[in-house]
Amino acid sequence: MNAAEIRRRVEDAGHTFPPVGTPVAAYVPSRRCGHEVFVSGQVPWEEVGKSAMATGIVPSQVDEPTAVRAAERCGLFILSALCDALGEHGELEQMVKLVAFVAATPDYTNHPKVANGASRLMVEVLGEDVGRHARSAIGVASLPLGVPVEVEAIARVRGL
């Protein structure tokens, strides 16, 4: 699946395809290594580089449905960074793995539900064969910029 098809599928699913997120520190949005692309952790920007769609800790400051939507937003930025890495000639073969970090209170244990926001987006946009992936969902004390969720990815590609 090439970048143009991914963009079209995002829009067909009713989402706006976001611009590639601008790194806020010393890293790049993605890095290719052989047939894999590693996408840096993406946060749920409302406006890239300016404001996040939500900030705070789940569930004391950010409710679970908002955190799920934030994870979905992270997934959109993953697809944007991946399309940027694919360029004109690359093709996505498989979304291999997502890792979701959820800023949560110590007693919160529903991290997988939050991570489902990104996971479901991948299957919705990319289909079962390409979008289904392995995943980890991890609770943390805090995340950059105070966001409630950050998601990173590994994808298998060809033609780069």
Side-chain angles (χ1 to χ4, degrees):
M1 182 176 311
N2 65 31
E5 186 175 359
I6 294 169
R7 284 186 188 97
R8 181 187 55 76
R9 286 173 168 241
V10 165
E11 292 169 0
D12 287 351
H15 304 284
T16 301
F17 193 83
V20 176
T22 305
V24 295
Y27 64 92
V28 293
S30 65
R31 174 66 68 195
R32 177 180 165 230
C33 183
H35 291 286
E36 294 179 326
V37 173
F38 294 79
V39 179
S40 295
Q42 301 294 311
V43 299
W45 291 113
E46 182 68 38
E47 186 177 350
V48 175
K50 295 188 179 173
S51 62
M53 69 166 281
T55 57
I57 304 296
V58 180
S60 63
Q61 299 168 322
V62 176
D63 64 24
E64 203 170 76
T66 300
V68 171
R69 287 191 305 278
E72 179 182 76
R73 186 91 176 132
C74 293
L76 290 168
F77 281 99
I78 285 170
L79 292 173
S80 179
L82 183 58
C83 284
D84 187 59
L86 290 173
E88 296 286 321
H89 305 291
E91 289 192 19
L92 173 63
E93 287 185 355
Q94 179 72 52
M95 187 59 67
V96 176
K97 184 168 184 177
L98 297 183
V99 179
F101 302 92
V102 181
T105 58
D107 61 334
Y108 184 74
T109 59
N110 219 359
H111 310 92
K113 184 174 182 180
V114 173
N116 280 345
S119 291
R120 287 188 184 124
L121 175 78
M122 296 306 157
V123 173
E124 175 188 20
V125 170
L126 304 172
E128 282 284 332
D129 290 341
V130 177
R132 185 73 58 191
H133 52 271
R135 187 186 78 196
S136 299
I138 302 162
V140 296
S142 67
L143 288 167
L145 310 172
V147 297
V149 62
E150 178 177 352
V151 184
E152 64 180 43
I154 302 169
R156 182 157 177 82
V157 298
R158 65 175 173 257
L160 295 179

